[in-house]
Amino acid sequence: MQTLVVYDISNDDIRLKISDTCKRFGLTRIQRSTFLGYLTSMRRKELITVLRRILGDADGNIQVFVICKADLALREVLGKPFEEYAKDELIV
Amino acid sequence: MKRLIINEPGLFIGVKKEMIVVKRKNEKILEISPLNISQIVILTRGATISSALMRLLTKYKVDLIIYSSSGFPIAKLSSTRISGSIKLRKEQYKAQDLPIGAYLTKRFAWAKVVNQKSLLREASRNRSNIELSKKLLEMSKSISNIATMIDNIEGNNANSIRSEVMRLEAEAAKIYWQGFKLLLPEGIDFPGRRKKFENPEDPVNIMLNFCYGLLASEVLLAIEASGLDPFAGFLHIDSPRRPALVMDIMEEFRQPIVDRVVLRLISSIKDSKSIIEERRLKRDFRFQIVKAFSERLSETLTFHGRSLPLSSHIFLQPKRLANFILGRENNYIPFTLR
């Protein structure tokens, strides 16, 4: 299922770790503190466990949403997209 | 299906924080999660790979394939933690000497011939030149007759009918390549089909051989995933050098994938001599072929009542074959476009 991760964290080190983890799980950055991508429910649980461990008792808030395909199709994007979605073929 | 294609010498592919990183002279040019790709393809000679990358790829079941300059897969990295499919393999070896072996031999050859027929027939509909389209239609009809003849051969095992099937297949191929020649744009010379060991010098044959190599690796991966032994074939004779079952299943996909890609690409080339040097494709063109080939694999087609990308159909065929060999299916339906 498409998973949306949104976070608000003031500590720079923790925030960096959170974004690295999201990237490692194959999510795409769509805004500065927002990641979106496909995860199986197992991978999602794993991600939540890792995020919980990184956040610990620190100040901040992380929210993980599950969005179905139909709902995601209703998404409207205004302005310039933050980062382009990775293409199908990656050639270097 | 996303793949990372490495086509530039001097690149380093390594790992940082469980992410695949591609560097050009210490400058990071790409960073991607192993979950987001399913294959790394190495076309160039001069790339560097770290052992950490190999560990990461086996963990996430990403294939790493190295191609020779003629497009044939020469190395593949895979995890040692594979599961054994002993029962299936035993049945596969046994099937070679049973009537179902003969049945499969006919099926693979039949599929190839039928696909040859449909490519010519489709082309004959699209040509504005009436003379040409008539000729192509006639050719497709005679190939169609050969398909029926293949279907009617009788035998109790793969060995007993192989030579007869091969003879008919060669007959169909002769007509088909004559037809194929008519489809090429003017100014492209095609002396007839030449295989890789015949060292062809014309661009069309070199392109075809390169693409068949790409297709072989695709089929090989699908066969390995299904648990079948890629070296024990039906239509093709067992050989320690050549994966016979890969060649068998490839027959179903030659025309729908490779021949079409080559026909499409060749029409965009102005000077056919500019794409080859010393009987090999030039680097940037090699790269265009891989791209066109992958694009074709992601095109959706309906077969067996399912509308899926071609790459998924390739993946499913060995599974269907395995189910048939194990007796879970009553027949094996090869991939054909009609």
Side-chain angles (χ1 to χ4, degrees), chain B residues 122-140:
Chain B
E122 199 189 306
S124 85
R125 289 200 191 118
N126 296 337
R127 303 286 141 161
S128 50
N129 184 337
I130 300 168
E131 198 87 329
L132 177 66
S133 108
K134 230 177 170 178
K135 206 169 173 188
L136 289 170
L137 193 67
E138 263 169 39
M139 282 175 162
S140 77

Side-chain angles (χ1 to χ4, degrees), chain B residues 277-316:
Chain B
E277 52 183 5
E278 292 170 33
R279 292 182 188 162
R280 273 198 249 146
L281 295 162
K282 282 193 180 161
R283 184 196 306 283
D284 51 344
F285 190 70
R286 211 151 66 194
F287 175 67
Q288 272 186 44
I289 292 191
V290 178
K291 218 174 139 205
F293 182 80
S294 311
E295 272 164 16
R296 176 67 182 158
L297 285 189
S298 51
E299 279 172 34
T300 310
L301 279 172
T302 308
F303 166 68
H304 219 292
R306 294 177 74 178
S307 176
L308 292 168
L310 262 169
S311 56
S312 308
H313 286 305
I314 296 182
F315 190 75
L316 282 174

Side-chain angles (χ1 to χ4, degrees), chain B residues 28-89:
Chain B
K28 190 168 81 182
I29 54 170
L30 189 88
E31 188 183 45
I32 188 167
S33 160
L35 283 162
N36 278 352
I37 58 171
S38 50
Q39 212 180 70
I40 296 189
V41 173
I42 298 187
L43 293 177
T44 174
R45 277 165 57 99
T48 318
I49 303 163
S50 75
S51 63
L53 177 78
M54 297 189 190
R55 280 169 198 262
L56 186 78
L57 295 185
T58 48
K59 185 176 163 193
Y60 286 95
K61 295 199 175 67
V62 178
D63 300 308
L64 176 84
I65 305 167
I66 300 174
Y67 286 96
S68 71
S69 55
S70 57
F72 204 76
I74 44 175
K76 184 203 152 208
L77 177 74
S78 65
S79 164
T80 48
R81 286 188 208 155
I82 42 165
S83 62
S85 46
I86 303 109
K87 188 175 175 228
L88 174 62
R89 290 197 174 203

